[in-house]
Amino acid sequence: MKKLPIGIQTFSEIIQNNYIYVDKTKEAYELITNYKYVFLSRPRRFGKSLFLDTLHEIFEGNEELFKGLYIYDKYNFEKYPVIKIDWSGNFKTIESTKETAIRIMKKNQKKLRVECESKTPEGCFDELIQKAYEKYQKPVVILIDEYDKPILDNMDDIERAKQNRDFLRGIYINLKANDRYIRFAFLTGISKFSKASIFSGLNNLEDISLNPTFGNICGYTQEDLDTTFKELLKGADREKTKEWYNGYYYLKDKLYNPFDILQYIRNDFIFRNYWWESGNPFSLIQILKEGDYFIPEIENLIVDDMLINTFDIENIRLESLLFQAGYLTIEKTEEDPIVGGIIYHLKVPNREVQISLNNLIYNYLTGKDTSSIEKRNLILSLSKGNVDVLKQSLVSLFSSIPYNNYVNNTISNYEGYYASVVYTYLASLGLKIVAEDVTNRG
């Protein structure tokens, strides 16, 4: 039986060492034959890095790795020089960001056997593209993983985030300047910053994040679980697994986060918040602190194209962050009958995110957490229709909230604070809740 590829983002290692691989080479083939500049946004741990490394192996001409996969007999596996930028490192100062960029450029120089004269990362990137083209007499492939990490790692310090953004802009602008030397460019990240702020002038960068053709480019479908993972999921509760981990939707099929499923199988079908616990939602708390948000509205958000697709450091919107980070997903779309364009209805994707997200917000609003025993007893009481226990729990809840927690909270000027506390308290139990979606606040 094949092994679980937990934490493995290297395509060759997965194929050569008998790990499970869910074939995404159909999407890869579609991209490399029909596109030139591509951007993909997906939440963390969703398979972006593995897909990018798959493209790397294709453009390196490693045909043998793809035997039995969709692309194998359809592509000629011509070899191209590849520049790969993987943003991993320390970005807490602009100096450390530049040092990381220099290290990345040196690694590419060594691999391509070319040498930069420029001492700056942006100058070296420009040289790398041109010198690789001249040396190999072929256009260059550029793969950039987590293009936005130096910015996102500094969302607690907006000025530092801006410095890193401006520095990255100086690097990425070389894509436009060297168009004649480039065969294909693929960039991944969590957020989609506006073209004006990061990719100034690169008007031909095509965002496939919400293109239905590539809706399944990352993530596992139910069919994947029923076929590729069939033997490994023997004995698992199919419907409960779907309730806990399925639900991400990018306009094709409903998807599971791969990290969840692999950890769920590894841990003998124990339901836990695997994906959530692997991240740090610090920036979400920062935004909650700065805005007056009525939390029950999270389950009934309706947004337009601009809001769902844009992330702006100077004006971070909660809706954009929640969607791009994977805390919300698309429920359905419709045409706007008044002004045109597409309207997106958003929702929390599954039970894992529902429990974790609402518990996080509940802790922020109240300054306290609820014990698992307390939650368990309340759920049992509600299942038996014992409303008195709920009443007692709510009275106890509000009496235990420190006075300063709500008088210092701007939302406490409204009834919405109390509604938000009750909502997040119940939602953090994993209960299905219909939020107030018709009447006005209060």
Side-chain angles (χ1 to χ4, degrees):
M1 186 176 293
K2 290 193 173 185
K3 298 177 288 186
L4 296 172
I6 296 176
I8 301 176
Q9 301 171 350
T10 305
F11 178 78
S12 60
E13 183 179 355
I14 288 176
I15 298 301
Q16 293 171 345
N17 294 322
N18 200 37
Y19 287 100
I20 289 175
Y21 176 70
V22 174
D23 192 355
K24 302 293 184 179
T25 62
K26 182 175 183 180
E27 288 86 351
Y29 178 74
E30 178 69 21
L31 281 179
I32 64 181
T33 54
N34 295 296
Y35 292 77
K36 182 171 182 178
Y37 296 98
V38 183
F39 171 76
L40 174 68
S41 168
R42 284 292 185 271
R44 60 184 172 80
R45 293 189 175 275
F46 223 88
K48 302 185 298 296
S49 296
L50 175 58
F51 184 80
L52 183 139
D53 195 64
T54 304
L55 291 174
H56 192 175
E57 296 292 350
I58 292 172
F59 282 115
E60 291 258 303
N62 295 320
E63 182 177 3
E64 291 301 305
L65 293 175
F66 295 89
K67 278 188 176 179
L69 300 179
Y70 176 88
I71 198 173
Y72 181 68
D73 58 356
K74 299 175 180 63
Y75 184 70
N76 62 9
F77 290 93
E78 185 177 358
K79 184 176 176 63
Y80 292 90
V82 177
I83 297 173
K84 186 175 181 181
I85 298 176
D86 181 359
W87 287 109
S88 57
N90 176 14
F91 307 109
K92 287 304 183 181
T93 66
I94 187 61
E95 290 76 22
S96 62
T97 301
K98 289 180 179 179
E99 287 174 4
T100 300
I102 290 171
R103 174 180 55 78
I104 291 171
M105 297 307 164
K106 285 182 177 178
K107 186 176 180 180
N108 278 283
Q109 289 176 70
K110 182 177 180 181
K111 181 177 178 294
L112 293 168
R113 299 192 299 279
V114 299
E115 188 172 338
C116 293
E117 296 177 11
S118 174
K119 302 302 180 184
T120 66
E122 53 269 44
C124 184
F125 186 44
D126 181 55
E127 285 188 59
L128 270 174
I129 296 171
Q130 296 178 29
K131 289 187 174 182
Y133 175 84
E134 292 167 0
K135 181 179 180 66
Y136 298 99
Q137 292 297 298
K138 281 192 175 181
V140 176
V141 171
I142 300 171
L143 305 175
I144 303 176
D145 198 13
E146 295 190 279
Y147 89 100
D148 52 352
K149 194 173 187 296
I151 303 172
L152 297 183
D153 280 4
N154 288 286
M155 295 310 294
D156 58 328
D157 187 330
I158 296 302
E159 286 307 310
R160 194 163 58 210
K162 288 180 182 178
Q163 285 183 326
N164 280 343
R165 177 197 62 187
D166 295 343
F167 172 68
L168 292 177
R169 183 193 296 135
I171 292 178
Y172 298 146
I173 198 171
N174 286 293
L175 294 173
K176 177 187 178 184
N178 290 286
D179 176 69
R180 72 181 71 180
Y181 308 117
I182 296 173
R183 158 67 175 85
F184 181 81
F186 185 78
L187 299 85
T188 75
I190 292 175
S191 58
K192 182 192 174 185
F193 290 95
S194 66
K195 287 182 179 179
S197 66
I198 296 289
F199 305 110
S200 180
L202 193 61
N203 296 322
N204 52 351
L205 181 65
E206 297 189 64
D207 181 9
I208 62 166
S209 303
L210 293 179
N211 182 329
T213 300
F214 302 103
N216 297 352
I217 196 169
C218 295
Y220 297 155
T221 65
Q222 186 62 52
E223 183 181 356
D224 293 329
L225 266 65
D226 293 340
T227 55
T228 304
F229 292 94
K230 182 178 180 180
E231 293 300 315
L232 290 169
L233 284 167
K234 277 187 176 179
D237 186 324
R238 187 177 190 272
E239 291 307 312
K240 194 173 180 182
T241 303
K242 187 183 297 186
E243 177 189 348
W244 265 82
Y245 302 123
N246 196 13
Y248 292 96
Y249 179 58
Y250 299 101
L251 307 183
K252 193 167 185 179
D253 295 317
K254 294 290 180 66
L255 298 169
Y256 294 86
N257 183 311
F259 185 79
D260 272 326
I261 293 303
L262 297 176
Q263 291 287 353
Y264 172 62
I265 295 172
R266 169 66 59 85
N267 287 277
D268 298 325
F269 312 145
I270 295 176
F271 292 99
R272 288 182 183 150
N273 303 336
Y274 298 110
W275 172 75
W276 180 274
E277 291 173 353
S278 69
N280 178 13
F282 178 79
S283 55
L284 175 58
I285 294 298
Q286 290 296 105
I287 294 174
L288 287 171
K289 286 180 179 178
E290 295 167 4
D292 297 335
Y293 294 107
F294 184 60
I295 305 305
E297 286 185 344
I298 288 177
E299 282 282 10
N300 298 287
L301 284 178
I302 301 175
V303 300
D304 61 15
D305 260 322
M306 182 173 294
L307 191 58
I308 206 171
N309 281 323
T310 304
F311 196 86
D312 186 1
I313 295 177
E314 283 86 358
N315 181 28
I316 301 173
R317 295 293 299 269
L318 180 65
E319 301 93 329
S320 299
L321 173 64
L322 289 172
F323 173 71
Q324 294 184 19
Y327 305 142
L328 293 179
T329 193
I330 298 169
E331 181 176 24
K332 63 179 180 179
T333 63
E334 61 181 343
E335 290 188 17
D336 190 325
I338 300 174
V339 299
I342 303 295
I343 294 174
Y344 298 87
H345 296 253
L346 305 182
K347 68 168 187 174
V348 175
N350 52 45
R351 189 174 181 185
E352 177 196 18
V353 179
Q354 178 196 353
I355 293 173
S356 304
L357 177 63
N358 283 286
N359 197 53
L360 177 79
I361 299 174
Y362 169 80
N363 292 348
Y364 158 67
L365 290 173
T366 66
K368 66 189 295 290
D369 196 1
T370 53
S371 70
S372 58
I373 299 298
E374 182 183 354
K375 291 180 179 180
R376 181 176 181 276
N377 290 338
L378 180 56
I379 292 172
L380 288 174
S381 300
L382 289 175
S383 67
K384 296 176 181 178
N386 193 339
V387 181
D388 287 337
V389 173
L390 173 61
K391 177 182 176 181
Q392 293 169 12
S393 295
L394 294 178
V395 171
S396 174
L397 165 64
F398 283 104
S399 66
S400 67
I401 298 174
Y403 178 73
N404 289 336
N405 277 84
Y406 56 85
V407 296
N408 290 333
N409 193 318
T410 53
I411 201 174
S412 66
N413 296 322
Y414 307 97
E415 184 180 331
Y417 169 76
Y418 303 97
S420 294
V421 170
V422 173
Y423 174 83
T424 55
Y425 177 59
L426 295 175
S428 70
L429 304 177
L431 302 174
K432 292 183 179 180
I433 299 174
V434 177
E436 181 179 7
D437 60 349
V438 178
T439 63
N440 199 355
R441 297 183 184 182

